[in-house]
Every structure is written in C-alpha cells, then in structure tokens.
C-alpha cells in the first residue's frame, strides 16, 4: 500500500485508506468551488475567534455567530466533498484491489465510481425535498429560512454526482462501462425480487445489508463514505418501509454538528505546523536533551510523537515530522530499520489520545461525552502507554552502540529550547483554554491556528500566500471527505438503532458472566478489528450510539470507556497484516512491510498490556477529572 503523493495531511486520521487515484489538483472548472471552500474556511475561523474574544474579553456573546458558522460549515463540507471527488481524495481501502491485475483493477475502479454515482443519484431528489422542507423553518438568531443552509446538500450532491460520472466515463471503454452498469442493474434487480423475503426475516437483514454488503463494497474499493451510504440505502429500500428522505436528515445531522467545526481547523493546523517547521523544532530540542542516554533516541522519538501529536492531532503528520529528523542518528547508533518503524507506528498509536485529538472530539460529539473530560483523561492514558513502550525500548536498547555519543553542550540545549519553546507551549494553550472555560473544544482550534500562523511568520519563516491558499483548499477537500464518512456512518448507525439491535445487544451483554469486565473484553476485540478495517472516525460514529448506552447500563464511566475504545482502535490501526497505519509508517520510513511486520509484534504486545491496564483500572482514566 503506497502513500499517495501530496501533503502529509492527504491521509489525515483516515490515512492509508487510499484514494481512487493519486491526488492531483482540481479541474479548471472547479476553481470557483476551490475559492468558495477556501473562503468559507477563513470565514469560519474568523467568526469563531471573534466569538471567543467578544465573550471572554468583553463579556458580550454574539448570538448569531454559531448560526453563521453552522451554515458556512455545511457548505464547506459539501463543497469539500465535491473537491475530494474531483481530486480523487475520497478515502477507500485498496488492500484487496491491489492484488488484482492492472486491467481488472481498472474495471473494479470503474465499478466503484459507478456505485458512487448510483448512491448520489438516489440521494439527489430527497436532498432537494429536504432543502424545500427547510424553507418553512427559520433560524432563531438571524431569522432566515434554514433552506439557505440545507441547500448545500443538493448542490454538493449534484456536484459530486456530475464529477463521479465524469471520472467513471473518462478514459474508460464503453464496453467496460456498459458491463459495470449491467452488473449493478442485475444485482439491483435480484435484491428487488428478494424484497418480500428480506422483509420477512426481520433483523437478520442486518448482517446481510449492514455487514455483508458494506464489506463487499469495501473490498471492491468503493470510498468508505459511500460504502456506508450504499449499505444503508439498500437496507432501507429492500427490507423496510422507511422513506429514503429520512436518510438525508441523518446525514445532515451526522456531518454538521457544531462540535465538528474543529475538524477542518485542526486539519489546517497540522498543515501549518508542517510548513513552518514547528514540529521539527520540538524533535531537535528533545534530541539535544535525551540523545546521549541509552535508548535515548527511542525516548526522543516517543516524546516527540507525544508532543507533536498534542499540537497537530494528525498521526501521519506526526510520523512524517519525527521520522526524517531522528532515523539517521538512530541507524548510526545501531537501531535496525524494522525496529524503528515498529516504534514509530506504535508511538503514533500511543499519542492519539493527546489533545487536540480529532478522534476524541468526534467521540465526544457522537456519544455525548464531555470533550474537556476526554482531553484531560487523554494525557494520562497516553502517559500509561508511553511508559510501557519506553520500558520495552529500554530493554531492546541494552546492546545499543553508544561509542562516541556525547552529551549535548548546555548552549546547544538552551538554543534548541528557545527555538522550540513557542511550539512546546501550544499543547498547553489548547488544554488550558478548554479546561478553564475560555473556549470550547471547537473554538480552541481557531486559537491554535492563529497562534501557529503568527508564531510561524515571526519565528519560523512564515508561509507564502500561494502555499497558504493551497493548504486551505487541501484542508477543505480532506475535511469534506472525512465529514461525508461521518454523515454516512451516522445514517447507518441510526438504521441499526431503529431495528432494536441496540436494545437486544444491551440485554445480551447484561446477561454475560463477568459483568463489566467481560463487556470490556468484547469492546476491545470489536474495536481492534474495526481499527484494522475502518480506522477511528467511521468506527466511532457507527458504534458509539450502540456501545456507550450498554457501557452506561453496566456502570462504566463514559470517559473510562472512551479511552478503552480509542486505544483499542489505534492498536488495530497499527496491527498488520490489515492495519492501515502500519503501512503508512513503513512508507514514511522506507522499510518493506514484511521486514517491519516481524519487528512490530513485541511493541503491539506492549500496547496491549497498557490497554488491559487501562481497561481494568478506571483510575487511570478518571483520576484527573
């Protein structure tokens, strides 16, 4: 599995779920959409920052800001999703498609795009009806029809439909297109004929439509958002009497929560840190401080991931910042490349709970858990995992070559610290702003972005206007892809809960021997598997509405359960042979996966030990709440 060309943010969070083609610039006719999306992102950042300043400094809350930000956000999400279609940046799993010969892979890619077109075509009319219904609802503060906001859905869907059809037909023979359309038509006709049988078997439809069909679409390389969308569409169409119109409302609800406003802003923050070199400054400071001790460079790698993750929230950006700065010196000291990749991958998994973690923000939104509480607990949980990895790294380094290694002079430490200090302060600014009530988890992202921009310009060289514009467009496209996944997963989760599946699950789990500990074991297994296949965000939005009520019924603290869920998912993400993050780490470090695969298992084992401790001892998660 290869990392697509482009910025490290290309595979942010869902990194490694590859795109239909290598990322590229937008088509010329999409330039106005690019400009509109970039402008919307700037408007959102400016509005949120103005809201914080007005409320905190002048005690004058501006009540219409949230409405304008929410309206702008849905338009940003839909225009970004259209850009992602045009730039081929919607994320998909290519592990199985890549085993096919070239010609067969091209046919499957065409089939995947036509399936996307089918879903968008089915959603277009309900989206128009949904926007028309919103005409009769007015906003509380601005007193304008909510159709101004909801119109983003049909406009975005129409754009995506046109673009997906164009890309499916471009460069593909008519025979291949006709054959793919015939396959889709035959499959649809068979499902239609079987509809009476599907309605008769009740909840047994769930494993067929919402597990089997979704898995089939994943294997075919359909972008993950549309895998969920197609599975839910088929489930509602062929096994229920629920109108498809309902699905649009659930997609809207899932992708436009005000809490999720921070997603594109933190994506932009990761781009800024990479462009300014703030993350590299942190790595160099830690190397001067700890590089001379045995296992020192391993400690530096882990510590760098911990601190850089606390700034950018992007696993891919973290690894791409840390690895080039440390790997040459680690090789010189006798570290083997597969061992370095193993430590890099598991260190990135460890650092996922360090705020600002977008996974924690989405989890708080989906499960109704305090984001400030998740941020507070996330530091402690990351420290537990950091400790188990550091112990293993120390044992592994018992034969490390340290001849000629000297302690860095105090002047060097002082110089690197002064350079890194502005970057080191940022995680604490984020944590303090949320914890002290100065800003919400959404608003603090704007503070972080503006701080990084100003400090980057003053101390780290700044960013040119052209580069900044490209980062805004890239952020919009990637955020649109992420938010489409959240919307489709939310619709699928709603369909699951409407079947009564959640209630049956609660009853079944409560009857298991072992009580909450058994449920924790089941949770770990579920999210390890989901982490391998889906990664964090879709798995959270899909499963949180189902699993968290069960955890509450067993007396498990929400924050404690959240830490177990996130940790298990991130271990799954880095676990070969399916774990997607593992392959990204291999690509960044330029090490063949088959070599790194043999080296990573002790580190995965150390993380599992840490996970068991976190699950069994709630105090790790709740001590500082």
């Amino acid at each position: 599995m290869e990392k697509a060309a482009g910025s490290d943010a290309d595979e942010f969070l869902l990194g490694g779920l590859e795109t239909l083609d290598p990322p590229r610039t937008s088509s010329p006719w999409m330039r106005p959409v690019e400009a509109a999306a970039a402008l919307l992102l700037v408007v959102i950042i400016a509005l949120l920052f103005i809201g914080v300043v007005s409320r905190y400094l002048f005690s004058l809350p501006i009540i219409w800001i949230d409405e304008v930000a929410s309206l702008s956000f849905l338009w940003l999400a839909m225009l970004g999703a259209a850009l992602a279609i045009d730039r081929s940046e919607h994320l998909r799993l290519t592990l199985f498609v890549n085993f096919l010969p070239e010609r067969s892979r091209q046919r499957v890619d065409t089939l995947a795009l036509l399936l996307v077109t089918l879903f968008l075509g089915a959603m277009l009319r309900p989206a128009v009806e949904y926007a028309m219904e919103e005409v009769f609802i007015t906003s509380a503060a601005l007193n304008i029809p909510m159709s101004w906001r909801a119109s983003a859905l049909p406009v975005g869907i129409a754009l995506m439909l046109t673009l997906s059809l164009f890309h499916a037909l471009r460069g593909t023979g008519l025979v291949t297109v006709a054959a793919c359309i015939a396959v889709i038509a035959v499959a649809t006709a068979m499902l239609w004929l079987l509809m009476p049988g599907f309605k008769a078997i009740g909840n047994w439809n769930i494993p067929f439509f919402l597990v089997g069909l979704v898995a089939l679409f994943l294997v075919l390389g359909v972008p993950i958002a549309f895998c969920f969308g197609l599975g839910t569409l088929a489930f509602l169409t062929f096994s229920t009497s629920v109108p498809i119109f309902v699905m649009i409302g659930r997609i809207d609800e899932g992708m436009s929560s005000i809490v999720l406003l921070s997603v594109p802003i933190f994506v932009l923050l990761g781009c800024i840190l990479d462009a300014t070199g703030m993350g590299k400054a942190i790595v160099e400071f830690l190397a001067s401080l700890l590089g001379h001790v045995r296992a020192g460079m391993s400690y530096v790698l882990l510590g760098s991931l911990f601190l850089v993750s606390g700034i950018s929230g992007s696993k891919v950006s973290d690894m791409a910042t840390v690895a080039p700065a440390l790997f040459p010196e680690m090789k010189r000291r006798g570290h083997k490349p597969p061992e370095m990749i193993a430590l890099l991958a598991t260190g990135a998994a460890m650092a996922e709970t360090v705020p600002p973690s977008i996974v924690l923000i989405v989890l708080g939104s989906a499960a109704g858990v305090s984001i400030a509480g998740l941020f507070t607990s996330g530091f402690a949980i990351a420290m537990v995992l950091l400790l188990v990895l550091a112990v293993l790294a120390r044992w592994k380094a018992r034969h490390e070559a340290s001849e000629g290694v000297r302690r860095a002079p105090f002047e060097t430490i002082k110089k690197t610290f002064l350079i890194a200090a502005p970057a080191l302060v940022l995680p604490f600014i984020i944590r303090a702003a949320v914890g002290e009530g100065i800003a919400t988890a959404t608003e603090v992202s704007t503070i972080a972005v503006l701080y990084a921009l100003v400090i980057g310009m003053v101390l780290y060289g700044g960013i040119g206007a052209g580069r900044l514009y490209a980062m805004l467009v890239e952020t919009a496209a990637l955020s649109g892809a992420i938010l489409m996944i959240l919307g489709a997963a939310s619709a699928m989760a709603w369909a699951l809960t409407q079947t009564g599946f959640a209630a049956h699950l609660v009853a079944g789990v409560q009857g298991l021997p072992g009580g909450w500990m058994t449920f924790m074991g089941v949770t770990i297994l579920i999210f390890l598997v989901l982490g391998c296949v889906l990664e964090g965000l879709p798995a959270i939005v899909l499963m949180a509405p189902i699993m968290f009520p069960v955890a509450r019924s067993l007396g498990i603290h929400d924050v404690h359960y959240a830490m177990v869920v996130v940790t298990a998912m991130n271990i799954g993400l880095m676990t070969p042979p399916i774990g997607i993050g593992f392959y990204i780490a291999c690509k960044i470090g330029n090490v063949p996966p088959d070599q790194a695969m043999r080296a990573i298992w002790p580190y995965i084992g150390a993380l599992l030990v840490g996970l068991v401790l976190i699950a069994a001892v709630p105090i790790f998660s709740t001590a500082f709440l």
Side-chain angles (χ1 to χ4, degrees):
M1 182 174 296
E2 295 183 358
K3 182 176 181 291
S7 76
D8 297 320
D10 290 344
E11 293 167 297
F12 179 88
L13 290 176
L14 298 169
L17 292 170
E18 291 185 11
T19 54
L20 290 174
D21 297 298
R24 56 180 183 271
T25 57
S26 303
S27 304
W29 55 84
M30 290 294 286
R31 295 290 189 264
V33 177
E34 278 189 354
L39 178 61
L40 284 168
L41 182 54
V42 172
V43 166
I44 289 170
I45 293 171
L47 284 174
L48 292 178
F49 184 73
I50 290 169
V52 174
V53 172
S54 177
R55 186 183 66 248
Y56 186 72
L57 294 184
F58 303 107
S59 299
L60 293 173
I62 304 175
I63 59 174
W64 52 264
I65 279 183
D66 280 354
E67 283 189 8
V68 177
S70 177
L71 185 154
S72 303
F73 181 49
L74 185 59
W75 278 95
L76 172 66
M78 297 309 297
L79 295 181
L83 285 172
I85 288 276
D86 187 54
R87 297 157 64 96
S88 298
E89 290 182 356
H90 271 284
L91 308 168
R92 68 171 188 162
L93 183 68
T94 56
L95 180 67
F96 303 102
V97 175
N98 283 343
F99 287 119
L100 297 174
E102 179 65 24
R103 291 190 63 185
S104 298
R105 187 162 61 247
Q106 290 176 354
R107 291 168 184 157
V108 172
D109 285 347
T110 301
L111 178 62
L113 279 167
L114 289 173
L115 285 168
V116 170
T117 304
L118 172 66
F119 172 75
L120 294 168
M123 289 291 103
L124 182 57
R125 182 175 176 180
V128 172
E129 293 173 352
Y130 181 78
M132 293 174 65
E133 289 284 336
E134 294 288 290
V135 170
F136 304 104
I137 305 172
T138 56
S139 64
L142 296 175
N143 200 32
I144 61 173
M146 291 300 288
S147 57
W148 286 31
R149 175 186 171 279
S151 297
L153 291 163
V155 170
I157 289 173
L159 269 174
M160 286 190 282
L161 173 61
T162 304
L163 290 165
S164 62
L165 186 59
F166 170 75
H167 286 296
L169 297 176
R170 188 187 64 175
T172 305
L174 291 178
V175 174
T176 299
V177 173
C180 291
I181 292 173
V183 168
I184 294 171
V186 169
T188 304
M190 290 178 62
L191 291 173
W192 186 269
L193 292 173
L194 292 171
M195 190 188 304
F198 288 135
K199 292 185 176 180
I201 62 176
N203 281 351
W204 286 105
N205 287 301
I206 294 174
F208 179 79
F209 286 104
L210 301 184
V211 178
L213 266 188
V214 172
L216 174 62
F217 295 139
L218 277 171
V219 169
L220 290 174
V222 175
I224 191 169
F226 303 102
C227 291
F228 289 152
L230 284 163
T232 307
L233 176 65
F235 175 74
L236 295 180
T237 302
F238 299 116
S239 69
T240 75
S241 301
V242 177
I244 304 305
F245 177 84
V246 176
M247 219 179 137
I248 286 291
R250 298 300 166 181
I251 291 174
D252 179 10
E253 183 180 323
M255 70 190 302
S256 59
S257 167
I258 196 72
V259 174
L260 298 178
L261 269 170
S262 58
V263 170
I265 304 173
F266 276 129
V267 172
L268 178 61
L269 177 60
C271 294
I272 292 170
L273 294 172
D274 180 55
T276 58
M278 292 175 75
K280 185 180 178 182
I282 292 175
V283 173
E284 290 177 349
F285 165 63
L286 290 178
S288 69
L289 196 65
L290 296 172
H292 63 282
V293 302
R294 189 173 297 279
M297 297 306 292
S298 297
Y299 299 155
V300 171
L301 189 151
L302 293 172
S304 298
L305 288 168
F306 185 96
L307 290 173
V308 173
S309 178
I311 300 174
S312 72
S314 163
K315 287 189 290 291
V316 177
S317 180
D318 300 344
M319 291 191 289
T321 298
V322 171
L326 294 181
F327 276 16
E329 178 62 17
M330 293 180 76
K331 286 180 182 178
R332 190 182 73 79
R333 298 192 186 193
H335 289 263
K336 297 178 181 178
E339 293 284 338
M340 290 154 40
I341 293 299
L343 191 60
L344 179 71
T346 51
M350 166 273 297
E352 182 61 20
T353 63
V354 179
S357 168
I358 304 227
V359 171
L360 294 184
I361 293 169
V362 172
L363 179 56
S365 172
V369 183
S370 163
I371 294 176
L374 293 176
F375 277 14
T376 300
S377 181
F379 271 114
I381 294 306
M383 287 300 299
V384 172
L385 299 174
L386 178 65
L387 181 61
V388 295
L389 287 175
V391 169
L392 177 61
R394 177 65 181 82
W395 182 78
K396 288 267 189 179
R398 63 194 184 279
H399 302 306
E400 179 181 313
S402 56
E403 295 81 5
V405 176
R406 297 282 186 271
R407 182 192 297 268
F410 177 75
E411 284 301 317
T412 301
I413 297 174
K414 179 182 175 182
K415 180 181 177 181
T416 56
F417 171 73
L418 291 174
I419 294 172
L424 288 168
V425 167
L426 187 51
F428 301 99
I429 292 175
I430 293 169
R431 169 68 189 90
V434 175
E436 299 300 322
I438 297 171
T440 66
T442 301
E443 294 167 336
V444 78
S445 59
T446 66
I447 297 173
V449 162
L450 294 174
Y451 175 90
L453 274 174
V454 172
I455 294 299
M457 285 190 292
V458 174
L459 298 178
Y460 295 96
I463 303 170
R467 176 80 180 274
L468 182 59
Y469 178 77
M471 287 162 51
L472 290 169
V473 173
E474 180 63 33
T475 297
L478 187 54
S479 299
I482 292 170
L483 292 165
M484 275 299 297
I485 291 172
L486 299 184
S490 181
M492 185 172 171
W494 174 84
L496 271 173
T497 56
Q498 294 307 298
T499 63
F501 173 77
H504 293 308
L505 180 64
V506 170
V509 170
Q510 288 177 335
L512 290 174
W516 72 273
M517 289 295 289
T518 300
F519 177 66
M520 279 296 197
V522 172
T523 295
I524 288 171
L525 290 175
I526 289 173
F527 283 97
L528 280 172
V529 173
L530 289 177
C532 285
V533 179
L534 296 182
E535 223 268 329
L537 298 185
I540 282 172
V541 178
L542 184 62
M543 297 302 294
I546 297 171
M547 302 296 282
F548 271 79
V550 182
R552 289 168 188 144
S553 73
L554 294 172
I556 301 172
H557 195 288
D558 280 350
V559 173
H560 176 209
Y561 189 65
M563 292 301 112
V564 173
V565 165
V566 172
T567 303
M569 280 192 312
N570 283 296
I571 295 174
L573 175 70
M574 298 299 177
T575 302
I578 299 177
I580 297 160
F582 167 75
Y583 294 98
I584 298 175
C586 291
K587 182 63 179 175
I588 289 172
N590 197 28
V591 174
D594 57 338
Q595 295 180 18
M597 197 176 297
R598 291 191 293 270
I600 200 171
W601 295 113
Y603 296 93
I604 295 291
L607 286 180
L608 288 173
V609 169
L611 175 57
V612 170
L613 287 173
I614 293 163
V617 186
I619 196 68
F620 287 138
S621 303
T622 59
F624 300 103
L625 297 181

